[in-house]
Amino acid sequence: MPTRDELPPRTGPWATRFDSEEALVQAEDALRAAALKHHDLAPILPFEAVYGEGEDCLGKATAVGIHPRKPYTPSGEVNYVYADFSTLGLL
């Protein structure tokens, strides 16, 4: 069993991916507007503030991370898992 220091980063090489160019543009526009409004160059918004609540969030972005209980496959490769964002996610 590898030690914590030997494990790869929990989010893998990326934390999220946008599922379409339109979803990326919508997120970029919302974050730029929040940056201007609040004079904050690195705003963090709830996912629902950008895409709406509930089902409206699905299909906009996919989280990519490493399986917390099984970080490696039987062949020794990193075991990435994917999940759709819910309204509890942050951008």
Side-chain angles (χ1 to χ4, degrees), residues 17 19 47 57-64 82-87:
R17 67 170 192 205
D19 292 344
F47 208 73
C57 292
L58 297 177
K60 304 296 184 183
T62 301
V64 181
Y82 303 90
D84 286 331
F85 269 99
S86 70
T87 57

Side-chain angles (χ1 to χ4, degrees), residues 18 22-34 50-51 91:
F18 289 92
E22 293 80 14
L24 174 61
V25 169
Q26 190 174 351
E28 180 74 14
D29 289 347
L31 291 167
R32 286 178 183 265
V50 177
Y51 296 115
L91 289 175

Side-chain angles (χ1 to χ4, degrees), residues 8-89:
R10 283 293 188 211
T11 57
W14 60 95
T16 64
R17 67 170 192 205
F18 289 92
D19 292 344
S20 69
E21 288 184 28
E22 293 80 14
L24 174 61
V25 169
Q26 190 174 351
E28 180 74 14
D29 289 347
L31 291 167
R32 286 178 183 265
L36 289 171
K37 180 178 179 180
H38 301 291
H39 306 286
D40 179 358
L41 295 179
I44 297 174
L45 296 175
F47 208 73
E48 66 184 3
V50 177
Y51 296 115
E53 296 182 17
E55 298 293 320
D56 292 334
C57 292
L58 297 177
K60 304 296 184 183
T62 301
V64 181
I66 296 172
H67 194 294
R69 285 176 296 224
K70 297 179 184 177
Y72 296 101
T73 64
S75 63
E77 295 180 23
V78 176
N79 189 18
Y80 292 110
V81 293
Y82 303 90
D84 286 331
F85 269 99
S86 70
T87 57
L88 302 177

